[in-house]
Amino acid sequence: MSLLIALSWDPAPWVERFRRLLPDHRIVVQGEAFDRSEVRYLATWGPQAGTLDNLPNLEVLFSLGAGVDHLMRYPGLPDVPIVRIVQEDLTTRMSEYVVMHCLMYLRDQRRYDAQQRDKVWEDNRSQPAARDVRVGVLGTGVLGQDAARKLAVMGFDVAAWGRTPKAIEGIRVYAGSAELNAFLARTDILVCLLPLTPETRGLLNAPLFRTLAFNGPLGGPILINCARGGLQVEADILAALDDGTLKAATLDVFETEPLPQNSPLWTHPKVTVSPHNAAISDPDVTSRTIAAQIRRHEAGEPLVGVVDRERGY
Ligand code: NDP
Ligand code: OXD
């Protein structure tokens, strides 16, 4: 019985961990010779063409991340349960990223970074209170809910938007396209934690930016996208930053990754860039999570985090 590891990065740290955690399973790596009929499980990120083909006894396909858009676009995706990462470690990392960037904007940290570089001692601005800053979280799933709750703990005035209505204590929840504009109109900082699907592709575009609140205490709406680059239209973000529709943007994800050297986003003074690492899948925690799922599956218990293939997330 084999677990196949197929990654778009160095598999060695994962192989070593899985061999330790699953000594009764053969751990094989894409690119080496192995018997494809022995493969029962596949742990993958960004599989190349052919990786998922001809695995007649595959039982479960594990995404090494929370998102599964990298699998959904695979032609001829095997008809087995697709399981994504749902784990506290990843969720906590994402909420740290979201809270950190919201606080950076609240406290105008980019300005003080620049002032320090120029040895400028200047504090002549008013300091808005978190309670007066309306943060809107796109996504009421695992990551959206946790980020919304932690932002509320920091005192922000938080709302969230999802596909279906949900109750999140202390958070006003909007749902569906009918309530999107009302949600945007009360949003000073927009945080995107939606999956990339055919419905959400390109959602972060010029008309959406124009609907955001313009009367907030930060001097204009701010975008934080830590979900997927395919959700954003980068030309619209740049135009909105340049004409003042957006005050600033923090982007962890991009239409093309790695972000091309010639992208104007790298050097735009209103843009903060990070290299798609808002929430990594820590190898120790993630390999333990997947090994536990395999044990659960083999004991006849249900898998956690099974993706709805119809919805695509
Ligand atoms: P979940 O599946 O738990 O949540 C997805 C949320 O999006 C749900 O609230 C869902 O609504 C909502 N949603 C989906 N489609 C629509 C739509 N068309 N309109 C409105 N709402 C919609 O996902 P997670 O919270 O775990 O993760 C979210 C995404 O974050 C991942 O898909 C991944 O792309 C990204 N990510 C990025 C990382 C990074 O480092 N940059 C790390 C980890 C994840 P409903 O519940 O009503 O169906
Ligand atoms: C994920 C990611 O989906 O890291 O987990 O992007």
Side-chain angles (χ1 to χ4, degrees), residues 3-305:
L3 164 66
L4 169 61
I5 301 178
L7 302 178
S8 57
W9 63 76
D10 177 18
W14 295 83
V15 172
E16 184 268 314
R17 284 170 176 80
F18 280 122
R19 288 205 170 126
R20 202 161 13 88
L21 291 162
L22 296 167
D24 47 341
H25 293 67
R26 192 191 313 278
I27 310 301
V28 295
V29 182
Q30 182 65 20
E32 294 172 2
F34 59 90
D35 180 352
R36 296 186 78 81
S37 71
E38 272 193 7
V39 173
R40 294 285 198 286
Y41 310 106
L42 177 55
T44 188
W45 183 263
Q48 291 180 343
T51 306
L52 311 186
D53 304 348
N54 187 22
L55 296 168
N57 295 311
L58 187 68
E59 291 177 24
V60 187
L61 212 174
F62 293 99
S63 166
L64 278 199
V68 290
D69 46 295
H70 65 114
L71 294 174
M72 290 302 158
R73 59 175 170 255
Y74 188 94
L77 189 63
D79 187 16
V80 297
I82 299 167
V83 175
R84 67 191 195 92
I85 295 298
V86 176
Q87 71 191 7
E88 199 186 326
D89 180 85
L90 184 149
T91 304
T92 301
R93 289 169 197 268
M94 181 58 85
S95 294
E96 287 166 0
Y97 183 94
V98 170
V99 171
M100 173 178 80
H101 283 276
C102 287
L103 288 173
M104 299 251 284
Y105 288 115
L106 175 70
R107 302 301 301 257
D108 215 1
Q109 186 57 42
R110 292 288 307 258
R111 164 187 284 252
Y112 296 118
D113 289 343
Q115 286 190 191
Q116 182 177 352
R117 267 193 306 275
D118 298 338
K119 300 187 183 167
V120 172
W121 183 278
E122 189 182 288
D123 179 18
N124 58 1
R125 302 180 74 243
S126 66
Q127 201 175 87
R131 66 178 170 276
D132 296 326
V133 174
R134 296 160 296 177
V135 183
V137 180
L138 288 168
T140 54
V142 175
L143 301 183
Q145 288 201 28
D146 194 68
R149 285 201 188 91
K150 287 172 180 165
L151 288 163
V153 168
M154 293 312 302
F156 288 104
D157 179 0
V158 187
W161 178 79
R163 198 177 48 86
T164 55
K166 273 183 200 155
I168 312 176
E169 202 186 332
I171 312 289
R172 171 139 187 223
V173 178
Y174 297 77
S177 48
E179 292 183 8
L180 179 59
N181 282 358
F183 162 82
L184 294 170
R186 54 80 63 209
T187 295
D188 299 312
I189 303 180
L190 183 68
V191 175
C192 182
L193 280 171
L194 289 170
L196 178 61
T197 67
E199 286 74 44
T200 62
R201 182 172 287 282
L203 182 79
L204 303 174
N205 60 18
L208 179 141
F209 301 147
R210 285 196 292 271
T211 314
L212 291 164
F214 216 83
N215 57 353
L218 300 180
I222 290 165
L223 169 68
I224 299 176
N225 184 11
C226 37
R228 282 293 180 270
L231 284 146
Q232 71 201 15
V233 180
E234 286 168 14
D236 288 6
I237 295 177
L238 286 161
L241 290 167
D242 290 341
D243 71 13
T245 304
L246 283 177
K247 174 150 191 252
T250 285
L251 304 174
D252 182 57
V253 287
F254 301 91
E255 288 173 5
T256 303
E257 295 181 6
L259 183 60
Q261 286 295 309
N262 64 357
S263 169
L265 292 167
W266 278 116
T267 49
H268 198 290
K270 297 178 180 172
V271 176
T272 299
V273 166
S274 54
H276 193 149
N277 66 351
I280 62 154
S281 295
D282 175 73
D284 279 329
V285 182
T286 308
S287 55
R288 279 202 304 271
T289 303
I290 291 176
Q293 292 261 47
I294 290 175
R295 298 265 179 247
R296 202 174 296 128
H297 173 72
E298 290 176 355
E301 293 168 25
L303 295 157
V304 177

